[in-house]
Amino acid sequence: MEKRENTPILYIVIPCYNEEEVLPVTAPMFREKLESMIVNGLVADDSKILFVNDGSKDKTWEVLCNLCESNAIFIAMKLSRNRGHQNALLAGLMEAKEDADITISIDCDGQDDINAMDEMVRQYHDGCEIVYGVRNDRTSDSFFKQTTAQGYYKILNALGGEVVYNHADYRLVSSRVLNELANYKEVNLFLRGMFPMIGFKSTCVEYSRHERLAGTSKYSLSKMLALAFDGITSFSVRPIRIITALGAVTVLYLSY
């Protein structure tokens, strides 16, 4: 198994949209986690926490500016308008790849277990270029969300989409992978479907998901449905084939 010799520079990339309530709670947690990984020699001491403000309408940007002034470990970038979670995350990853050896993407609400980051970095040291954070259960979800999530993964896999079950956007990715990702010109972004297609060595790290620490979820049902639709249509030709076949049958039927 390949071992890394150099201590990597890590950038933790965190998209934010209207998160003024939760950031004062979770930002210190991210800082403490990164500082502990630096002390333990897992990552380099010039590693950073990069927030991406996705056109927030509240005081998120003001909170981020104060964080950056309080500690040099925090950096932040501001999108000109709201572009959506996937675009904000991609923007942060593309910015980070210029200075970081590895990135870990995570939401800012505190639901994903930050302690899984240590094992993610260890897996990178052991030769993996992508490490997927995978939930070991969905007990924190409502019955509706559990049922629809399981059904969605089954449908996507049945249609030929390659996704990691119970994985969202909590993952470690090397700069090598991000350089390849930059070559993709996909418009309807579905990053959890794009990374498996790139083909580098990967593995999974399981973790338990918690309740949101503050504030409310910004991912409405309509946004979740739009993301699911992008996943189905962007990475499988089978829906097109099904529609074409139905169209051909309809034309033949009407011609008689």
Side-chain angles (χ1 to χ4, degrees):
M1 184 176 291
E2 178 187 352
K3 292 284 186 178
R4 315 282 180 175
E5 295 182 358
N6 298 323
T7 305
I9 298 173
L10 166 66
Y11 272 43
I12 301 174
V13 181
I14 309 172
C16 305
Y17 177 66
N18 292 346
E19 297 289 7
E20 65 175 354
E21 295 180 62
V22 78
L23 280 170
V25 179
T26 57
M29 296 169 53
F30 291 128
R31 187 198 72 238
E32 290 174 7
K33 170 51 60 179
L34 183 54
E35 288 175 343
S36 72
M37 287 193 288
I38 292 172
V39 170
N40 292 328
L42 285 174
V43 299
D45 57 7
D46 48 350
S47 298
K48 301 289 185 181
I49 299 169
L50 170 60
F51 293 104
V52 183
N53 181 36
D54 184 24
S56 297
K57 299 177 181 179
D58 63 358
K59 295 182 179 179
T60 293
W61 182 243
E62 180 180 331
V63 173
L64 293 179
C65 289
N66 290 335
L67 286 171
C68 295
E69 291 177 1
S70 69
N71 195 312
I73 205 169
F74 295 117
I75 55 177
M77 58 184 291
K78 181 180 183 181
L79 303 187
S80 60
R81 62 183 178 85
N82 178 243
R83 297 295 307 275
H85 179 274
Q86 296 289 281
N87 282 290
L89 177 53
L90 180 63
L93 293 174
M94 292 298 101
E95 179 71 19
K97 75 179 179 64
E98 302 302 323
D99 298 303
D101 300 303
I102 53 175
T103 62
I104 293 179
S105 57
I106 189 171
D107 289 339
C108 67
D109 54 19
Q111 289 189 276
D112 295 320
D113 184 6
I114 60 175
N115 292 317
M117 291 185 184
D118 298 73
E119 183 59 26
M120 287 181 172
V121 176
R122 292 189 188 100
Q123 292 296 329
Y124 168 78
H125 281 291
D126 282 342
C128 292
E129 303 287 343
I130 306 174
V131 184
Y132 300 103
V134 176
R135 297 175 60 175
N136 55 19
D137 64 68
R138 303 192 72 94
T139 54
S140 61
D141 288 346
S142 64
F143 174 77
F144 173 77
K145 193 169 183 179
Q146 289 182 44
T147 304
T148 54
Q150 292 172 358
Y152 170 69
Y153 281 111
K154 290 179 180 179
I155 292 173
L156 191 57
N157 285 323
L159 292 174
E162 185 180 354
V163 292
V164 177
Y165 186 68
N166 273 346
H167 165 70
D169 286 299
Y170 186 21
R171 71 179 74 85
L172 178 148
V173 181
S174 72
S175 59
R176 290 179 61 197
V177 175
L178 292 179
N179 286 329
E180 293 301 322
L181 179 66
N183 295 324
Y184 279 72
K185 304 303 177 184
E186 182 65 42
V187 176
N188 299 318
L189 289 178
F190 185 66
L191 293 174
R192 67 191 70 172
M194 295 172 71
F195 281 109
M197 294 176 60
I198 298 177
F200 285 85
K201 182 179 178 181
S202 65
T203 191
C204 297
V205 170
E206 291 189 351
Y207 70 96
S208 297
R209 202 159 194 253
H210 313 298
E211 296 292 335
R212 170 181 268 270
L213 295 182
T216 57
S217 173
K218 308 307 183 295
Y219 234 76
S220 62
L221 178 60
S222 61
K223 289 183 179 180
M224 287 190 288
L225 290 174
L227 181 62
F229 182 78
D230 286 342
I232 292 173
T233 57
S234 297
F235 298 98
S236 176
V237 297
R238 291 184 186 179
I240 298 175
R241 291 173 178 171
I242 293 172
I243 294 171
T244 302
L246 289 173
V249 170
T250 302
V251 170
L252 290 173
Y253 175 79
L254 293 176
S255 65
Y256 282 100

